Amino acid sequence: MLIGWLLVAQGAMATTNGAIREAIRPGIAFSETALATVTQPSSGLAWVSLSAPTSFVLLSQSLPVLGQDAIPYPPILRYETSPAGNYHLILTLEPDAAGRRHTTASLFETLGDRCQQVWSQPLPHSYGPRLALVNNAGTVVLLDDWINVASPRAIVLMGIDGEVKAQQGFDEIVEVTGQSRAEVVDQATQGFWLAGTPELNRNGTQLSIPTAGGWLTLDLATGEMGF
């Protein structure tokens, strides 16, 4: 299974009782089953159809909000793949030295019958982003914080090298919509400002994000927003 191979490449194997880490080389060969999964094209944000353990959740599918001040922790492992299946993004929730939980993001690229880690780094979000995606160029977009706050990291655009190319806060999104903070929050259906499922355009260069009764557009090359 593709997710299992990626986790081995990252040095993490999931079990129903927690995570078991094994240090191995970041480049490994896929099995025939994994190769078949990689080469299947798909559309939308939930880009792959696979049978995964209950501990895995697609990054484009956030869990239900239990209340403005009470939401569950994100899953230990979350996964997303690019439309062409050439890039794979894994978020891993883990404790730090002080016992606080943080999320590490890791991007992998498939090269023939091998999967190679491109970059891996901890994220500054509180428990991680609410949604995330990667396009066919390896550009990663992180949307909103997992917890319900007016985040300064409402949109984070990361390049193929893992560096932040652009970052927009909640107040910057409000300004683009031309509405008030309260209006944007009231129309959100997940998190603090998201109102639906984001959509990539056909060539993967622009992301359209439902919010505030309309569509916020994000240029994935420049980070420029429109509404």
Side-chain angles (χ1 to χ4, degrees):
M1 182 168 49
L2 177 57
I3 291 181
W5 280 109
L6 288 174
L7 289 171
V8 172
Q10 189 186 20
M13 288 298 291
T15 69
T16 56
N17 296 321
I20 300 176
R21 300 199 171 277
E22 298 178 0
I24 66 169
R25 292 180 299 137
I28 61 172
F30 280 130
S31 67
E32 293 181 3
T33 301
L35 282 172
T37 306
V38 170
T39 55
Q40 292 175 0
S42 51
S43 59
L45 289 182
W47 284 311
V48 288
S49 176
L50 44 83
S51 175
T54 55
S55 56
F56 294 99
V57 175
L58 292 178
L59 281 170
S60 54
Q61 300 174 342
S62 64
L63 298 182
V65 175
L66 301 182
Q68 197 68 9
D69 298 317
I71 61 173
Y73 286 125
I76 294 175
L77 296 164
R78 292 189 284 161
Y79 169 78
E80 193 65 75
T81 184
S82 62
N86 57 326
Y87 285 101
H88 312 271
L89 180 66
I90 293 178
L91 299 192
T92 308
L93 183 68
E94 52 194 356
D96 59 19
R100 294 183 294 266
R101 301 186 188 187
H102 72 276
T103 290
T104 297
S106 301
L107 183 68
F108 295 85
E109 181 182 10
T110 54
L111 302 168
D113 64 345
R114 303 180 71 82
C115 181
Q116 183 70 42
Q117 181 174 289
V118 181
W119 55 261
S120 182
Q121 62 188 53
L123 299 178
H125 303 70
S126 298
Y127 302 103
R130 181 162 290 270
L131 298 180
L133 63 89
V134 57
N135 69 4
N136 292 336
T139 301
V140 170
V141 183
L142 308 176
L143 297 175
D144 212 358
D145 255 290
W146 182 262
I147 61 176
N148 293 321
V149 295
S151 176
R153 295 170 292 273
I155 296 176
V156 177
L157 181 67
M158 304 174 72
I160 185 62
D161 56 0
E163 295 295 321
V164 174
K165 297 171 59 178
Q167 180 173 309
Q168 311 289 355
F170 172 72
D171 288 329
E172 293 167 288
I173 291 173
V174 170
E175 183 178 356
V176 170
T177 66
Q179 300 184 36
S180 69
R181 295 173 106 248
E183 288 172 324
V184 173
V185 172
D186 286 345
Q187 295 175 81
T189 59
Q190 49 183 316
F192 213 70
W193 60 277
L194 295 166
T197 302
E199 297 179 3
L200 275 172
N201 67 349
R202 181 163 300 191
N203 59 11
T205 59
Q206 180 177 284
L207 184 66
S208 297
I209 310 167
T211 187
W215 291 86
L216 180 77
T217 59
L218 177 69
D219 188 307
L220 299 187
T222 65
E224 183 178 353
M225 295 189 299
F227 188 74

